[in-house]
Amino acid sequence: MRKLICIGIICLAYFTSTAQTLKDTTAIVNKIFEQYSPESPGGELCVSRNNKIIYSNQWGLASISNKNKITRNTLIEAGSVSKQFTAAAILLLEQQGKLSVNDDVRRYIPELPEYEAIITIENLIHHTSGIKDCWSLLSFSDAPRGSVVYDNEKILKLLCRQKTLNHSPGENFLYSNSNYILLAIIVERVTKTTLAAFTDRYLFKPANMPHTSWRTDYLKSQLISATAYGKRDGQYFIDMPKENVYGNGGLLTTAADLTNWNNYLMEGRFGQPSLLWKLFHIPPLTSGKAYDYAAGLRVGTFNGRMRISHDGATAAYRSLLEFYPNEKISIAWLSNRSEFNGGGGALAELRNFLIPEAVSPIDKSITTESLSDRTEHENVNRIPDLSNFVALAGHYHSDEISSDLMVKIEDNKLLMIRKNDDTFKLVPASGVAFKIADSNVLVEFILNNQNQVEGFYFHSPKVKKIAFKRVQ
């Protein structure tokens, strides 16, 4: 009897201590996020430890106009956090014997150009394909993102017009949304159903994600999700995605659903047997360089502790999903305001509170580092007499992105003018390369053997060699 009493006292002390710890945690987290006004757009946060939700809260308005508050069930778009679900669908299909990640992408999408080297599904998953980022391509076109309602088929047609890659497949890492749109198309062609139907059956339902779906019709999605808001001159304005592109983004979900997903993964229930190791796997590059991108997930460290994470941004939606395997802590955050920054602010405070710096840092060999983006330019040593820029002036056209541009000289300045009259100043960089002022875009003019200008390439962080030919 005395033994039973002792056990009872120990249990009571344990549960009292645990309750006190959770109470303290709740108070601290509430304090961290009190900056979010109840009268402005906000967000939702969910934290779990040992696969159990220990904190869940919401702040602010889902809609300023009707004063609806964000609740536990409010849908907010997850941006690029969505990528891991597309990658998971591909890995499940491989386990089901319906494809291999080593397959040539053109086996499923034969419309794509036949480049010198084969692009595999694995290249798409890890952003090592060299395929150019669709949004970056369209930013140089006459119909940029938001001016047309793009869908996956329209993006596919754009990619089919690209004659070159950013780099040889498997050689480098360069993040490209195009990769995951192609993966979504592959899932649908292999399963002969929609990505939405496949992931609902094999991912969302098993992981207890009852509120999660894909934005396949942006007009319908606007009716069921929180409104996204940007901010300009101190005033909020509606900034919603007006596109039907998904796979790279487009997941409508809740913080609790995302937390359930992390817990489902870490319990080893994804795949039979578990495919967790494949989600975290980072195949080596042929260049030997290191990078941090697994299957829709980044593998790195924080405070000397292993971190699995991804953030996201679409229009004014912002998101972050993190997991710390050794600590068994998961953090899910969704916001309908563009001011949110996954790397700073309240989330940085929360991260430091939940994940204190390790006394003995983990073995750095289990993590990887992101590649710094470098653009190598051709013809830089062939410098004709372009001191007055006259040789560069003219009309240029790109079949790859269906765009026309004029290069003109006005007031001793070299200007690039789009079809809609947007005007950009070109500043000499090196050789025949010019930088668009106040940007990270480089314009590299192409010369023939007689040093005559035949066209130019655009280079940006996510796309290389967008070709324009001189037409007059």
mmCIF file of all heavy atoms in Angstrom, residues 207-248:
data_model
loop_
_atom_site.group_PDB
_atom_site.id
_atom_site.type_symbol
_atom_site.label_atom_id
_atom_site.label_comp_id
_atom_site.label_asym_id
_atom_site.label_seq_id
_atom_site.Cartn_x
_atom_site.Cartn_y
_atom_site.Cartn_z
ATOM 1 N N ALA A 207 -2.552 11.411 -42.543
ATOM 2 C CA ALA A 207 -1.819 12.281 -41.611
ATOM 3 C C ALA A 207 -2.742 13.137 -40.755
ATOM 4 O O ALA A 207 -2.261 13.978 -39.986
ATOM 5 C CB ALA A 207 -0.857 13.182 -42.387
ATOM 6 N N ASN A 208 -4.039 12.956 -40.874
ATOM 7 C CA ASN A 208 -5.023 13.737 -40.120
ATOM 8 C C ASN A 208 -4.904 15.229 -40.440
ATOM 9 O O ASN A 208 -4.674 16.071 -39.580
ATOM 10 C CB ASN A 208 -4.872 13.513 -38.608
ATOM 11 C CG ASN A 208 -5.977 14.179 -37.799
ATOM 12 O OD1 ASN A 208 -7.080 14.401 -38.311
ATOM 13 N ND2 ASN A 208 -5.698 14.479 -36.543
ATOM 14 N N MET A 209 -5.069 15.518 -41.736
ATOM 15 C CA MET A 209 -5.047 16.902 -42.219
ATOM 16 C C MET A 209 -6.398 17.202 -42.883
ATOM 17 O O MET A 209 -6.483 17.381 -44.102
ATOM 18 C CB MET A 209 -3.899 17.089 -43.200
ATOM 19 C CG MET A 209 -2.531 16.768 -42.622
ATOM 20 S SD MET A 209 -1.196 16.788 -43.863
ATOM 21 C CE MET A 209 -1.127 18.539 -44.259
ATOM 22 N N PRO A 210 -7.475 17.288 -42.099
ATOM 23 C CA PRO A 210 -8.824 17.381 -42.657
ATOM 24 C C PRO A 210 -9.136 18.678 -43.395
ATOM 25 O O PRO A 210 -10.083 18.728 -44.184
ATOM 26 C CB PRO A 210 -9.726 17.230 -41.430
ATOM 27 C CG PRO A 210 -8.889 17.722 -40.290
ATOM 28 C CD PRO A 210 -7.483 17.288 -40.623
ATOM 29 N N HIS A 211 -8.356 19.731 -43.140
ATOM 30 C CA HIS A 211 -8.680 21.034 -43.744
ATOM 31 C C HIS A 211 -7.841 21.340 -44.985
ATOM 32 O O HIS A 211 -8.032 22.376 -45.618
ATOM 33 C CB HIS A 211 -8.470 22.142 -42.707
ATOM 34 C CG HIS A 211 -9.212 21.933 -41.433
ATOM 35 N ND1 HIS A 211 -8.624 21.403 -40.304
ATOM 36 C CD2 HIS A 211 -10.502 22.144 -41.114
ATOM 37 C CE1 HIS A 211 -9.518 21.313 -39.344
ATOM 38 N NE2 HIS A 211 -10.667 21.755 -39.805
ATOM 39 N N THR A 212 -6.907 20.453 -45.332
ATOM 40 C CA THR A 212 -5.919 20.763 -46.358
ATOM 41 C C THR A 212 -6.376 20.381 -47.760
ATOM 42 O O THR A 212 -6.933 19.311 -47.970
ATOM 43 C CB THR A 212 -4.589 20.047 -46.039
ATOM 44 O OG1 THR A 212 -4.146 20.459 -44.739
ATOM 45 C CG2 THR A 212 -3.515 20.376 -47.057
ATOM 46 N N SER A 213 -6.116 21.272 -48.717
ATOM 47 C CA SER A 213 -6.446 21.028 -50.128
ATOM 48 C C SER A 213 -5.518 21.887 -50.985
ATOM 49 O O SER A 213 -4.698 22.630 -50.463
ATOM 50 C CB SER A 213 -7.916 21.364 -50.418
ATOM 51 O OG SER A 213 -8.168 22.747 -50.158
ATOM 52 N N TRP A 214 -5.674 21.781 -52.302
ATOM 53 C CA TRP A 214 -4.853 22.572 -53.232
ATOM 54 C C TRP A 214 -5.665 23.686 -53.886
ATOM 55 O O TRP A 214 -6.859 23.512 -54.145
ATOM 56 C CB TRP A 214 -4.272 21.675 -54.337
ATOM 57 C CG TRP A 214 -3.276 20.682 -53.847
ATOM 58 C CD1 TRP A 214 -3.520 19.395 -53.458
ATOM 59 C CD2 TRP A 214 -1.866 20.885 -53.684
ATOM 60 N NE1 TRP A 214 -2.365 18.776 -53.064
ATOM 61 C CE2 TRP A 214 -1.320 19.663 -53.202
ATOM 62 C CE3 TRP A 214 -1.017 21.952 -53.920
ATOM 63 C CZ2 TRP A 214 0.038 19.497 -52.936
ATOM 64 C CZ3 TRP A 214 0.342 21.789 -53.659
ATOM 65 C CH2 TRP A 214 0.854 20.574 -53.173
ATOM 66 N N ARG A 215 -5.006 24.796 -54.157
ATOM 67 C CA ARG A 215 -5.653 25.889 -54.871
ATOM 68 C C ARG A 215 -5.587 25.598 -56.373
ATOM 69 O O ARG A 215 -4.650 25.982 -57.057
ATOM 70 C CB ARG A 215 -4.963 27.222 -54.564
ATOM 71 C CG ARG A 215 -5.545 28.363 -55.387
ATOM 72 C CD ARG A 215 -4.794 29.656 -55.393
ATOM 73 N NE ARG A 215 -3.399 29.676 -55.103
ATOM 74 C CZ ARG A 215 -2.444 29.382 -55.973
ATOM 75 N NH1 ARG A 215 -2.724 28.986 -57.206
ATOM 76 N NH2 ARG A 215 -1.171 29.441 -55.611
ATOM 77 N N THR A 216 -6.598 24.929 -56.890
ATOM 78 C CA THR A 216 -6.672 24.636 -58.322
ATOM 79 C C THR A 216 -7.586 25.607 -59.053
ATOM 80 O O THR A 216 -7.585 25.673 -60.279
ATOM 81 C CB THR A 216 -7.165 23.197 -58.553
ATOM 82 O OG1 THR A 216 -8.426 23.022 -57.886
ATOM 83 C CG2 THR A 216 -6.168 22.181 -57.989
ATOM 84 N N ASP A 217 -8.382 26.358 -58.297
ATOM 85 C CA ASP A 217 -9.255 27.396 -58.847
ATOM 86 C C ASP A 217 -9.188 28.579 -57.892
ATOM 87 O O ASP A 217 -9.803 28.562 -56.827
ATOM 88 C CB ASP A 217 -10.684 26.887 -58.981
ATOM 89 C CG ASP A 217 -11.620 27.905 -59.632
ATOM 90 O OD1 ASP A 217 -11.325 29.114 -59.579
ATOM 91 O OD2 ASP A 217 -12.660 27.483 -60.183
ATOM 92 N N TYR A 218 -8.430 29.601 -58.257
ATOM 93 C CA TYR A 218 -8.176 30.689 -57.316
ATOM 94 C C TYR A 218 -9.451 31.441 -56.944
ATOM 95 O O TYR A 218 -9.556 31.984 -55.827
ATOM 96 C CB TYR A 218 -7.110 31.639 -57.868
ATOM 97 C CG TYR A 218 -7.610 32.684 -58.832
ATOM 98 C CD1 TYR A 218 -7.981 33.946 -58.388
ATOM 99 C CD2 TYR A 218 -7.726 32.423 -60.202
ATOM 100 C CE1 TYR A 218 -8.434 34.918 -59.263
ATOM 101 C CE2 TYR A 218 -8.171 33.387 -61.080
ATOM 102 C CZ TYR A 218 -8.532 34.626 -60.612
ATOM 103 O OH TYR A 218 -8.991 35.587 -61.478
ATOM 104 N N LEU A 219 -10.440 31.480 -57.836
ATOM 105 C CA LEU A 219 -11.688 32.180 -57.520
ATOM 106 C C LEU A 219 -12.446 31.474 -56.400
ATOM 107 O O LEU A 219 -12.964 32.120 -55.477
ATOM 108 C CB LEU A 219 -12.562 32.290 -58.770
ATOM 109 C CG LEU A 219 -12.034 33.223 -59.863
ATOM 110 C CD1 LEU A 219 -12.908 33.138 -61.108
ATOM 111 C CD2 LEU A 219 -11.952 34.663 -59.365
ATOM 112 N N LYS A 220 -12.491 30.150 -56.452
ATOM 113 C CA LYS A 220 -13.151 29.401 -55.385
ATOM 114 C C LYS A 220 -12.347 29.470 -54.092
ATOM 115 O O LYS A 220 -12.914 29.567 -52.996
ATOM 116 C CB LYS A 220 -13.338 27.941 -55.810
ATOM 117 C CG LYS A 220 -14.366 27.742 -56.907
ATOM 118 C CD LYS A 220 -14.542 26.263 -57.235
ATOM 119 C CE LYS A 220 -15.587 26.069 -58.331
ATOM 120 N NZ LYS A 220 -15.755 24.631 -58.693
ATOM 121 N N SER A 221 -11.033 29.439 -54.217
ATOM 122 C CA SER A 221 -10.175 29.472 -53.035
ATOM 123 C C SER A 221 -10.337 30.773 -52.264
ATOM 124 O O SER A 221 -10.247 30.796 -51.033
ATOM 125 C CB SER A 221 -8.715 29.283 -53.435
ATOM 126 O OG SER A 221 -8.520 28.023 -54.038
ATOM 127 N N GLN A 222 -10.580 31.867 -52.987
ATOM 128 C CA GLN A 222 -10.756 33.156 -52.318
ATOM 129 C C GLN A 222 -11.976 33.162 -51.400
ATOM 130 O O GLN A 222 -12.031 33.918 -50.428
ATOM 131 C CB GLN A 222 -10.884 34.263 -53.360
ATOM 132 C CG GLN A 222 -9.582 34.580 -54.075
ATOM 133 C CD GLN A 222 -9.737 35.666 -55.126
ATOM 134 O OE1 GLN A 222 -10.846 36.072 -55.468
ATOM 135 N NE2 GLN A 222 -8.616 36.139 -55.660
ATOM 136 N N LEU A 223 -12.936 32.296 -51.696
ATOM 137 C CA LEU A 223 -14.164 32.245 -50.902
ATOM 138 C C LEU A 223 -13.999 31.476 -49.603
ATOM 139 O O LEU A 223 -14.781 31.646 -48.667
ATOM 140 C CB LEU A 223 -15.298 31.618 -51.733
ATOM 141 C CG LEU A 223 -15.673 32.325 -53.032
ATOM 142 C CD1 LEU A 223 -16.733 31.527 -53.776
ATOM 143 C CD2 LEU A 223 -16.166 33.743 -52.755
ATOM 144 N N ILE A 224 -12.978 30.604 -49.527
ATOM 145 C CA ILE A 224 -12.850 29.726 -48.359
ATOM 146 C C ILE A 224 -11.598 29.995 -47.527
ATOM 147 O O ILE A 224 -11.459 29.423 -46.439
ATOM 148 C CB ILE A 224 -12.846 28.243 -48.782
ATOM 149 C CG1 ILE A 224 -11.658 27.938 -49.690
ATOM 150 C CG2 ILE A 224 -14.149 27.867 -49.463
ATOM 151 C CD1 ILE A 224 -11.497 26.470 -50.025
ATOM 152 N N SER A 225 -10.703 30.856 -48.000
ATOM 153 C CA SER A 225 -9.449 31.083 -47.276
ATOM 154 C C SER A 225 -9.359 32.501 -46.741
ATOM 155 O O SER A 225 -10.125 33.386 -47.134
ATOM 156 C CB SER A 225 -8.257 30.807 -48.205
ATOM 157 O OG SER A 225 -8.299 31.665 -49.325
ATOM 158 N N ALA A 226 -8.416 32.710 -45.840
ATOM 159 C CA ALA A 226 -8.159 34.054 -45.328
ATOM 160 C C ALA A 226 -7.670 34.952 -46.465
ATOM 161 O O ALA A 226 -6.939 34.507 -47.344
ATOM 162 C CB ALA A 226 -7.119 34.000 -44.220
ATOM 163 N N THR A 227 -8.069 36.192 -46.435
ATOM 164 C CA THR A 227 -7.606 37.157 -47.433
ATOM 165 C C THR A 227 -6.162 37.553 -47.117
ATOM 166 O O THR A 227 -5.806 37.759 -45.955
ATOM 167 C CB THR A 227 -8.499 38.402 -47.421
ATOM 168 O OG1 THR A 227 -9.851 38.021 -47.681
ATOM 169 C CG2 THR A 227 -8.058 39.404 -48.482
ATOM 170 N N ALA A 228 -5.332 37.632 -48.144
ATOM 171 C CA ALA A 228 -3.924 38.013 -47.966
ATOM 172 C C ALA A 228 -3.765 39.520 -48.176
ATOM 173 O O ALA A 228 -4.352 40.085 -49.102
ATOM 174 C CB ALA A 228 -3.043 37.239 -48.930
ATOM 175 N N TYR A 229 -2.945 40.150 -47.328
ATOM 176 C CA TYR A 229 -2.780 41.604 -47.368
ATOM 177 C C TYR A 229 -1.313 42.008 -47.421
ATOM 178 O O TYR A 229 -0.491 41.538 -46.630
ATOM 179 C CB TYR A 229 -3.401 42.250 -46.124
ATOM 180 C CG TYR A 229 -4.900 42.091 -46.030
ATOM 181 C CD1 TYR A 229 -5.454 41.015 -45.343
ATOM 182 C CD2 TYR A 229 -5.765 43.009 -46.626
ATOM 183 C CE1 TYR A 229 -6.833 40.855 -45.243
ATOM 184 C CE2 TYR A 229 -7.146 42.866 -46.533
ATOM 185 C CZ TYR A 229 -7.678 41.780 -45.846
ATOM 186 O OH TYR A 229 -9.049 41.632 -45.756
ATOM 187 N N GLY A 230 -1.002 42.883 -48.365
ATOM 188 C CA GLY A 230 0.268 43.579 -48.356
ATOM 189 C C GLY A 230 0.094 44.898 -47.629
ATOM 190 O O GLY A 230 -1.012 45.248 -47.196
ATOM 191 N N LYS A 231 1.192 45.648 -47.493
ATOM 192 C CA LYS A 231 1.105 46.931 -46.795
ATOM 193 C C LYS A 231 1.924 47.974 -47.537
ATOM 194 O O LYS A 231 3.062 47.721 -47.927
ATOM 195 C CB LYS A 231 1.615 46.789 -45.357
ATOM 196 C CG LYS A 231 1.177 47.921 -44.433
ATOM 197 C CD LYS A 231 1.561 47.596 -42.991
ATOM 198 C CE LYS A 231 0.974 48.614 -42.036
ATOM 199 N NZ LYS A 231 1.341 48.313 -40.611
ATOM 200 N N ARG A 232 1.299 49.113 -47.766
ATOM 201 C CA ARG A 232 1.954 50.198 -48.481
ATOM 202 C C ARG A 232 1.575 51.525 -47.825
ATOM 203 O O ARG A 232 0.390 51.797 -47.616
ATOM 204 C CB ARG A 232 1.531 50.199 -49.955
ATOM 205 C CG ARG A 232 2.256 51.216 -50.829
ATOM 206 C CD ARG A 232 1.668 51.298 -52.225
ATOM 207 N NE ARG A 232 1.676 50.013 -52.907
ATOM 208 C CZ ARG A 232 0.577 49.382 -53.323
ATOM 209 N NH1 ARG A 232 -0.622 49.908 -53.114
ATOM 210 N NH2 ARG A 232 0.677 48.224 -53.950
ATOM 211 N N ASP A 233 2.595 52.312 -47.493
ATOM 212 C CA ASP A 233 2.359 53.615 -46.853
ATOM 213 C C ASP A 233 1.489 53.486 -45.616
ATOM 214 O O ASP A 233 0.603 54.311 -45.351
ATOM 215 C CB ASP A 233 1.714 54.592 -47.848
ATOM 216 C CG ASP A 233 2.592 54.853 -49.056
ATOM 217 O OD1 ASP A 233 3.833 54.842 -48.901
ATOM 218 O OD2 ASP A 233 2.041 55.056 -50.160
ATOM 219 N N GLY A 234 1.723 52.415 -44.852
ATOM 220 C CA GLY A 234 0.996 52.222 -43.600
ATOM 221 C C GLY A 234 -0.398 51.672 -43.752
ATOM 222 O O GLY A 234 -1.112 51.511 -42.749
ATOM 223 N N GLN A 235 -0.819 51.370 -44.974
ATOM 224 C CA GLN A 235 -2.178 50.891 -45.210
ATOM 225 C C GLN A 235 -2.143 49.480 -45.811
ATOM 226 O O GLN A 235 -1.319 49.185 -46.674
ATOM 227 C CB GLN A 235 -2.917 51.821 -46.172
ATOM 228 C CG GLN A 235 -3.076 53.243 -45.668
ATOM 229 C CD GLN A 235 -3.952 53.327 -44.425
ATOM 230 O OE1 GLN A 235 -4.999 52.674 -44.352
ATOM 231 N NE2 GLN A 235 -3.525 54.131 -43.453
ATOM 232 N N TYR A 236 -3.050 48.625 -45.347
ATOM 233 C CA TYR A 236 -3.156 47.277 -45.901
ATOM 234 C C TYR A 236 -3.951 47.297 -47.200
ATOM 235 O O TYR A 236 -4.908 48.059 -47.346
ATOM 236 C CB TYR A 236 -3.847 46.341 -44.905
ATOM 237 C CG TYR A 236 -2.960 45.966 -43.739
ATOM 238 C CD1 TYR A 236 -3.168 46.513 -42.474
ATOM 239 C CD2 TYR A 236 -1.905 45.075 -43.909
ATOM 240 C CE1 TYR A 236 -2.358 46.182 -41.405
ATOM 241 C CE2 TYR A 236 -1.083 44.734 -42.851
ATOM 242 C CZ TYR A 236 -1.312 45.289 -41.604
ATOM 243 O OH TYR A 236 -0.496 44.955 -40.555
ATOM 244 N N PHE A 237 -3.533 46.460 -48.147
ATOM 245 C CA PHE A 237 -4.267 46.290 -49.398
ATOM 246 C C PHE A 237 -4.313 44.800 -49.736
ATOM 247 O O PHE A 237 -3.421 44.036 -49.358
ATOM 248 C CB PHE A 237 -3.605 47.072 -50.539
ATOM 249 C CG PHE A 237 -2.218 46.592 -50.904
ATOM 250 C CD1 PHE A 237 -2.027 45.660 -51.924
ATOM 251 C CD2 PHE A 237 -1.104 47.070 -50.212
ATOM 252 C CE1 PHE A 237 -0.757 45.211 -52.254
ATOM 253 C CE2 PHE A 237 0.164 46.629 -50.541
ATOM 254 C CZ PHE A 237 0.345 45.697 -51.569
ATOM 255 N N ILE A 238 -5.360 44.384 -50.418
ATOM 256 C CA ILE A 238 -5.528 42.965 -50.755
ATOM 257 C C ILE A 238 -4.500 42.551 -51.807
ATOM 258 O O ILE A 238 -4.341 43.218 -52.826
ATOM 259 C CB ILE A 238 -6.961 42.697 -51.268
ATOM 260 C CG1 ILE A 238 -7.970 42.953 -50.140
ATOM 261 C CG2 ILE A 238 -7.100 41.267 -51.795
ATOM 262 C CD1 ILE A 238 -9.425 42.828 -50.581
ATOM 263 N N ASP A 239 -3.807 41.466 -51.515
ATOM 264 C CA ASP A 239 -2.786 40.945 -52.430
ATOM 265 C C ASP A 239 -2.917 39.428 -52.465
ATOM 266 O O ASP A 239 -2.223 38.715 -51.740
ATOM 267 C CB ASP A 239 -1.392 41.369 -51.960
ATOM 268 C CG ASP A 239 -0.294 40.907 -52.916
ATOM 269 O OD1 ASP A 239 -0.623 40.492 -54.037
ATOM 270 O OD2 ASP A 239 0.888 40.954 -52.513
ATOM 271 N N MET A 240 -3.819 38.946 -53.325
ATOM 272 C CA MET A 240 -4.129 37.526 -53.423
ATOM 273 C C MET A 240 -3.523 36.923 -54.688
ATOM 274 O O MET A 240 -3.379 37.612 -55.715
ATOM 275 C CB MET A 240 -5.645 37.330 -53.467
ATOM 276 C CG MET A 240 -6.372 37.763 -52.213
ATOM 277 S SD MET A 240 -6.198 36.565 -50.888
ATOM 278 C CE MET A 240 -7.344 35.286 -51.425
ATOM 279 N N PRO A 241 -3.145 35.640 -54.664
ATOM 280 C CA PRO A 241 -2.679 34.985 -55.893
ATOM 281 C C PRO A 241 -3.816 34.837 -56.890
ATOM 282 O O PRO A 241 -4.903 34.391 -56.538
ATOM 283 C CB PRO A 241 -2.186 33.618 -55.397
ATOM 284 C CG PRO A 241 -2.906 33.391 -54.110
ATOM 285 C CD PRO A 241 -3.126 34.738 -53.505
ATOM 286 N N LYS A 242 -3.567 35.225 -58.133
ATOM 287 C CA LYS A 242 -4.565 35.099 -59.196
ATOM 288 C C LYS A 242 -4.023 34.138 -60.247
ATOM 289 O O LYS A 242 -3.700 34.518 -61.370
ATOM 290 C CB LYS A 242 -4.882 36.472 -59.793
ATOM 291 C CG LYS A 242 -5.507 37.425 -58.794
ATOM 292 C CD LYS A 242 -5.795 38.784 -59.416
ATOM 293 C CE LYS A 242 -6.407 39.735 -58.391
ATOM 294 N NZ LYS A 242 -6.669 41.076 -58.971
ATOM 295 N N GLU A 243 -3.887 32.877 -59.836
ATOM 296 C CA GLU A 243 -3.338 31.846 -60.707
ATOM 297 C C GLU A 243 -3.824 30.476 -60.249
ATOM 298 O O GLU A 243 -4.240 30.309 -59.090
ATOM 299 C CB GLU A 243 -1.811 31.896 -60.678
ATOM 300 C CG GLU A 243 -1.236 31.639 -59.298
ATOM 301 C CD GLU A 243 0.179 32.155 -59.129
ATOM 302 O OE1 GLU A 243 0.527 33.125 -59.809
ATOM 303 O OE2 GLU A 243 0.914 31.595 -58.287
ATOM 304 N N ASN A 244 -3.765 29.534 -61.151
ATOM 305 C CA ASN A 244 -4.173 28.157 -60.843
ATOM 306 C C ASN A 244 -2.987 27.206 -61.002
ATOM 307 O O ASN A 244 -3.118 26.102 -61.510
ATOM 308 C CB ASN A 244 -5.335 27.734 -61.750
ATOM 309 C CG ASN A 244 -6.567 28.599 -61.541
ATOM 310 O OD1 ASN A 244 -6.841 29.047 -60.420
ATOM 311 N ND2 ASN A 244 -7.291 28.878 -62.607
ATOM 312 N N VAL A 245 -1.845 27.672 -60.567
ATOM 313 C CA VAL A 245 -0.614 26.885 -60.605
ATOM 314 C C VAL A 245 -0.429 26.244 -59.231
ATOM 315 O O VAL A 245 -0.588 26.903 -58.207
ATOM 316 C CB VAL A 245 0.591 27.777 -60.943
ATOM 317 C CG1 VAL A 245 1.886 26.969 -60.912
ATOM 318 C CG2 VAL A 245 0.405 28.427 -62.309
ATOM 319 N N TYR A 246 -0.088 24.977 -59.210
ATOM 320 C CA TYR A 246 0.062 24.268 -57.940
ATOM 321 C C TYR A 246 1.105 23.160 -58.072
ATOM 322 O O TYR A 246 1.496 22.783 -59.171
ATOM 323 C CB TYR A 246 -1.278 23.674 -57.495
ATOM 324 C CG TYR A 246 -1.905 22.738 -58.518
ATOM 325 C CD1 TYR A 246 -1.613 21.377 -58.516
ATOM 326 C CD2 TYR A 246 -2.753 23.228 -59.504
ATOM 327 C CE1 TYR A 246 -2.161 20.523 -59.474
ATOM 328 C CE2 TYR A 246 -3.306 22.385 -60.461
ATOM 329 C CZ TYR A 246 -3.005 21.031 -60.431
ATOM 330 O OH TYR A 246 -3.539 20.196 -61.383
ATOM 331 N N GLY A 247 1.537 22.650 -56.941
ATOM 332 C CA GLY A 247 2.604 21.652 -56.895
ATOM 333 C C GLY A 247 3.865 22.279 -56.337
ATOM 334 O O GLY A 247 4.528 21.737 -55.458
ATOM 335 N N ASN A 248 4.209 23.466 -56.866
ATOM 336 C CA ASN A 248 5.298 24.276 -56.326
ATOM 337 C C ASN A 248 4.831 25.085 -55.130
ATOM 338 O O ASN A 248 5.603 25.466 -54.256
ATOM 339 C CB ASN A 248 5.812 25.237 -57.388
ATOM 340 C CG ASN A 248 4.729 26.216 -57.820
ATOM 341 O OD1 ASN A 248 3.605 25.828 -58.126
ATOM 342 N ND2 ASN A 248 5.042 27.496 -57.842
#
